Amino acid sequence: VLVNGNINTYLIKGLEPASEYEILLAAVYANEVESDEVILIETTAKRTTTVATTTTRTITPRYAVKNLRIDEETTFSMRVSWQAVDSRNVRHYRLIYISAKGDRAEETRTVPSGQTSLVLQPLLSDTEYKVTIIPVYPDGDGPVSSQMGRTLPLSAPKNLRVSEEWYNRFRISWDVPPSPTMGYRVVYQPLSAPGQALETFVGEDVNTMLILNLLSGTEYSVKVIASYTTGSSEALSGKAKTLYLGVSNLSTYQVRMTGVCAQWVPHRHASSYRLVIQSVTGSQKQETKLGGGASRHCFNNLKPNTEYKISVYSQLQDGTEGPAVTANVKT
């Protein structure tokens, strides 16, 4: 029966005589959410022609649950379990939990009598909670049992390692945190050269990543951030540097009015070189490509009394090109 909210009494008719009835009363709110039930056990009178009589009931003993435990903690949940002592007579369990700080409202869950565990979620990470469970009997509440539990923090990954350094890439690896994650954000940015921060996301089962398309001879800042359902961890930070892809000891010789020669110490992994000579004013430019074993080259058809900039770019077999190694000379 559904009655109006301003009514606080109701006559139940059409019942059997000398029969025990269980009455449940719950408040219903505008959003159709119901409160916990208030339970009443009552027996109707016997049918008689003389004196009406009522029956009396023996109060059932009430027992607390045993072995209340909290385990399987995560950053946003924990499991509460207990051992039923009197499941035949218990109508249901009322489970109450609240943060130890008291900064959130108390939460209540109703658990059927045949169930002896419940996962509480969503909870705040790295927060201590007080959990209370009360067996509810037909004629009232049983003894209270309480236990403290704590959710896991949003732990950061640890032990950042760098390996497989090459001219345009390197690999990073890390140790996963104890808390289950949703994945990891990897952020990297050049420190010794201009460039914006780049970011990628890898899954929860990944703890290593090969970062590609990097600048050679460049130091990078690297950050790995664990992502959780309730937020992100602190960043695990480190640095990594690519190998330098460039010739050494670039110098000029045989400087003439219309020509100049350049020489250098070859790079051990270069498959080719791109050479560019350009006047400082930018009015004249020559470009040529040499094999990886070359160590010198002469430029001709230059203008007299003109300052030039010579740039040597080392290239790998896969097309990766290192930064320019330069030298200035005046014909």
Side-chain angles (χ1 to χ4, degrees):
V1 177
L2 189 68
V3 299
N4 291 331
N6 59 352
I7 293 177
N8 69 344
T9 182
Y10 183 78
L11 178 61
I12 303 174
K13 298 180 180 180
L15 306 182
E16 293 292 329
S19 299
E20 188 178 52
Y21 285 87
E22 181 182 68
I23 302 99
L24 288 77
L25 175 67
V28 183
Y29 293 89
N31 57 2
E32 299 186 359
V33 173
E34 294 191 9
S35 71
D36 288 341
E37 299 166 342
V38 176
I39 302 170
L40 177 68
I41 304 294
E42 196 59 58
T43 302
T44 53
K46 292 181 180 179
R47 178 177 292 160
T48 177
T49 56
T50 54
V51 180
T53 61
T54 59
T55 61
T56 58
R57 296 180 292 113
T58 302
I59 300 299
T60 303
R62 306 171 191 173
Y63 302 96
V65 300
K66 286 186 176 181
N67 301 326
L68 178 59
R69 293 182 56 196
I70 296 177
D71 56 12
E72 297 183 13
E73 299 91 340
T74 72
T75 56
F76 64 93
S77 67
M78 61 176 65
R79 186 179 77 110
V80 183
S81 62
W82 60 92
Q83 181 181 342
V85 175
D86 192 21
S87 58
R88 186 177 61 178
N89 294 314
V90 169
R91 176 161 183 80
H92 60 261
Y93 298 99
R94 186 164 65 251
L95 192 151
I96 304 168
Y97 60 98
I98 188 172
S99 68
K101 295 179 181 178
D103 53 353
R104 295 296 176 95
E106 182 179 271
E107 298 278 352
T108 301
R109 298 285 184 269
T110 299
V111 184
S113 60
Q115 182 177 330
T116 57
S117 67
L118 184 68
V119 176
L120 304 181
Q121 61 179 2
L123 305 178
L124 300 174
S125 62
D126 197 20
T127 301
E128 189 173 34
Y129 284 85
K130 179 181 180 181
V131 180
T132 300
I133 187 159
I134 306 167
V136 179
Y137 286 81
D139 53 359
D141 290 351
V144 173
S145 301
S146 296
Q147 185 68 269
M148 303 299 292
R150 191 179 191 93
T151 51
L152 299 180
L154 302 179
S155 302
K158 294 182 178 180
N159 191 21
L160 183 64
R161 304 177 296 281
V162 180
S163 61
E164 300 179 28
E165 297 95 332
W166 194 240
Y167 302 99
N168 61 348
R169 65 180 185 265
F170 51 70
R171 178 177 294 278
I172 60 169
S173 305
W174 60 90
D175 293 342
V176 300
S179 311
T181 72
M182 297 178 63
Y184 303 91
R185 288 169 50 217
V186 179
V187 184
Y188 54 99
Q189 182 175 20
L191 293 174
S192 54
Q196 63 179 359
L198 298 175
E199 181 174 328
T200 188
F201 188 84
V202 296
E204 60 182 21
D205 56 343
V206 176
N207 72 331
T208 184
M209 178 183 177
L210 186 64
I211 303 179
L212 304 171
N213 302 320
L214 303 178
L215 302 172
S216 78
T218 303
E219 187 175 41
Y220 284 81
S221 70
V222 180
K223 296 179 180 179
V224 182
I225 304 163
S227 295
Y228 296 91
T229 54
T230 54
S232 299
S233 72
E234 295 291 326
L236 171 63
S237 301
K239 295 178 180 179
K241 189 174 183 179
T242 52
L243 301 181
Y244 180 63
L245 180 57
V247 300
S248 56
N249 298 334
L250 177 62
S251 62
T252 59
Y253 67 100
Q254 292 186 10
V255 181
R256 303 180 303 276
M257 286 188 294
T258 59
V260 65
C261 295
Q263 60 184 1
W264 59 87
V265 176
H267 190 281
R268 61 175 180 163
H269 290 127
S271 63
S272 59
Y273 299 104
R274 184 168 66 93
L275 276 67
V276 179
I277 187 168
Q278 185 172 13
S279 61
V280 174
T281 60
S283 60
Q284 186 183 17
K285 180 180 179 181
Q286 293 182 28
E287 182 171 330
T288 187
K289 191 169 183 179
L290 303 176
S295 62
R296 64 186 64 203
H297 181 73
C298 293
F299 296 94
N300 297 305
N301 302 319
L302 305 181
K303 295 179 180 180
N305 195 37
T306 301
E307 187 172 0
Y308 287 87
K309 179 182 179 181
I310 299 174
S311 301
V312 181
Y313 298 86
S314 301
Q315 298 177 330
L316 299 178
Q317 189 70 42
D318 62 4
T320 300
E321 184 176 86
V325 179
T326 62
N328 284 32
V329 64
K330 189 174 185 180
T331 54

